[in-house]
Amino acid sequence: MGLRSSFLAVAAFAACTAAFAQSGTLERVAQSGVIKIGYRESSVPFSYLDGNKPVGFAMDLCARIVEAAKTQLKLPALKVEYQPVTSQNRIPLIQNGTVDIECGSTTNNTNRREQVEFGINHFYTGTRLLVRKSSGIKSLDDLKGKTLVSTTGTTNIALLRKHLFEHKLDAQLVAAKDHADAMLYVDSGRAAAFGMDDILLYGLMANARNPQDWDVVGDALQVEPYAVMLRKNDPAFKKLVDDALRSTIDSGEFETLYKK
């Protein structure tokens, strides 16, 4: 692609994103009668597929946001469309309007807030390692000469790369397309450990063929706050999202959903 073509493509994307922000999510949802939710296929227990149905803690929270939208817009028949997203494409799909809200396991951090907006944080976790118990691995220091896998497009893989470099750990870091793929790397012996948010690792371990063969080890590298993701510059929708989440917390329903 030439320089002029690249410039035009970037300009077109920016114009599209700006148009979505200016029109407002609630206005467009009211006009179309549809709200579009992005979900993850293997972010257990937050957003994952149960058969063909997206379920999980984040999906339950977003269902409360949908109910709030139905009430505010007076649209009891509001339709929900579900769109699978990945670590790599979730931000662009929010920006270009393919999805209105992402209900997954996305970390709310400063860099991402330059591109998108977040609801209030609903969970905190940290980067640790999923390993086979038989491996003898207890921390990142035990990965010398071994292969470590993480999921592409996540804060975790960048953090792990930085940690390996700064601590001069002689380990190879490879990128998997999603969490399920990363789990396969370790399950098949192509990697010795999977570095990711510990809550997601526990979810994958619980659903493994032999959960007793696995362990989550190591100290958490940093705190990762999860939040639902939406477009920037949309204060009306941001207020609805936050109000719906606060109402769920205040009513005690949040705790019920968390325990579920």
Side-chain angles (χ1 to χ4, degrees), residues 26-94:
L26 291 176
E27 179 183 344
R28 289 184 295 102
V29 168
Q31 292 174 351
S32 67
V34 175
I35 187 166
K36 297 170 288 187
I37 291 181
Y39 69 91
R40 301 294 296 276
E41 294 183 321
S42 57
S43 286
V44 180
F46 293 91
S47 183
Y48 60 100
L49 286 174
D50 182 6
N52 294 319
K53 181 182 179 182
V55 298
F57 182 46
M59 297 301 298
D60 286 343
L61 293 178
C62 282
R64 275 57 187 175
I65 294 170
V66 171
E67 289 303 313
K70 288 180 179 180
T71 300
Q72 181 167 318
L73 298 175
K74 296 180 175 59
L75 286 175
L78 178 64
K79 180 182 177 183
V80 179
E81 290 184 356
Y82 295 101
Q83 169 72 40
V85 301
T86 67
S87 297
Q88 285 185 299
N89 69 18
R90 55 189 166 181
I91 289 178
L93 292 182
I94 282 284

Side-chain angles (χ1 to χ4, degrees), residues 107-115 118 155 222 224-225:
T107 297
N108 173 4
N109 61 26
T110 303
N111 179 61
R112 286 175 175 164
R113 287 197 300 274
E114 294 177 357
Q115 307 172 74
F118 289 91
T155 56
Q222 73 177 21
E224 303 277 347

Side-chain angles (χ1 to χ4, degrees), residues 216-235:
V216 176
V217 301
D219 295 329
L221 290 185
Q222 73 177 21
V223 174
E224 303 277 347
Y226 286 175
V228 296
M229 185 167 55
L230 53 146
R231 277 179 292 281
K232 284 181 70 69
N233 304 317
D234 195 344

